[in-house]
Amino acid sequence: MKPGPPPKTASRAGSLPLVGSEVAFDFTNTASGRGHTSHQDHLQSAETVIAWAVHAKVIGAVDAEVLRAAVSSDERLAARMLNEALELRDIIHDIGMEFSSGRRARDQQVDALAKVHADCIARARLTNHGGGFIWTWDARSAPVEVILGPITLSALTLLTRSDLSRIKMCQGEHCGWLFFDVTKNKSRRWCEMEVCGNRAKQKRHQSRQRQD
Ligand SMILES: [Zn+2]
């Protein structure tokens, strides 16, 4: 008998480290090891998308309750929330990967992001906030956009206002987490030193021992 796919690990969407420096990258970091047997995906259902959004402070507890009730009674909405979240995550991850490799994002990827943004903004309101205005979404009338809207805005702000050479991918083996490097001399290499940094150190240590 052929071995089946590796068992899905339990989702840690509600407790993942938020180390991307930008919510758009924290969002892409809900998966790791893309294309490898160590692949983990913490967005497994609409509930896990909501759990991550609360954890990352994209939505508050009240909106989360509204959304949980909505997806539990509406399968189509639940499927749309998960599918659109995964699509947006792929778009941002692809763009981030290009920049982190020193390339430019392809027009097709940027156009796809702009399209999601346009769809989200069509459902948004400009709301007074501390003397200025911010985009807000109503969880009842825009249950998917209330989560994807702020993530898309974060990605667009990165693209339009940031030093794109600071977009990096963790150098850990099969990690794939993205982050915006805010260190003074652009020296950050790892998602988390304690995870991928130490693993790489251990590996170097082991290979040195083998050579001895
Ligand atoms: Zn890493």
Side-chain angles (χ1 to χ4, degrees):
M1 224 169 67
K2 264 194 187 166
K8 256 190 192 174
T9 44
S11 170
R12 288 188 286 119
S15 61
L16 284 168
L18 304 170
V19 293
S21 300
E22 284 291 338
V23 78
F25 289 149
D26 286 332
F27 185 56
T28 66
N29 297 345
T30 51
S32 60
R34 287 168 173 83
H36 298 280
T37 46
S38 57
H39 179 229
Q40 283 190 25
D41 193 341
H42 299 284
L43 298 188
Q44 302 172 0
S45 61
E47 286 78 9
T48 56
V49 175
I50 297 166
W52 177 84
V54 178
H55 172 54
K57 298 192 166 59
V58 171
I59 55 170
V62 176
D63 280 351
E65 272 315 302
V66 171
L67 295 182
R68 277 191 201 103
V71 298
S72 70
S73 62
D74 185 343
E75 261 178 45
R76 280 179 59 182
L77 172 65
R80 185 166 84 88
M81 183 179 288
L82 177 63
N83 291 337
E84 292 190 15
L86 296 180
E87 273 173 32
L88 176 61
R89 192 180 65 178
D90 278 348
I91 294 168
I92 300 173
H93 186 264
D94 285 353
I95 293 174
M97 202 165 63
E98 296 292 346
F99 283 116
S100 70
S101 317
R103 295 185 294 264
R104 282 180 53 177
R106 285 179 284 122
D107 287 349
Q108 198 188 356
Q109 298 167 324
V110 180
D111 289 347
L113 179 64
K115 169 84 171 61
V116 179
H117 174 63
D119 291 345
C120 287
I121 289 299
R123 314 283 297 268
R125 284 188 59 210
L126 267 177
T127 314
N128 222 322
H129 182 81
F133 286 87
I134 54 166
W135 293 111
T136 57
W137 287 264
D138 181 86
R140 286 177 205 279
S141 60
V144 176
E145 293 79 4
V146 72
I147 294 178
L148 302 193
I151 298 167
T152 311
L153 278 176
S154 158
L156 277 171
T157 307
L158 266 170
L159 290 186
T160 54
R161 294 204 206 141
S162 307
D163 173 358
L164 299 173
S165 68
R166 288 186 177 274
I167 297 177
K168 294 190 185 173
M169 183 173 280
C170 174
Q171 292 181 16
E173 207 176 7
H174 307 331
C175 173
W177 276 25
L178 292 165
F179 54 86
F180 189 74
D181 183 357
V182 294
T183 59
K184 231 181 189 171
N185 51 0
K186 297 189 197 174
S187 58
R188 185 172 164 194
R189 296 174 64 193
W190 314 108
C191 60
E192 291 179 287
M193 187 63 209
E194 310 78 57
V195 180
C196 285
N198 285 348
R199 219 175 270 161
K201 235 192 254 169
Q202 262 170 15
K203 246 191 150 166
R204 275 201 302 275
H205 181 65
Q206 278 167 359
S207 67
R208 258 202 300 273
Q209 277 183 332
R210 272 200 294 271
Q211 282 162 12
D212 290 344

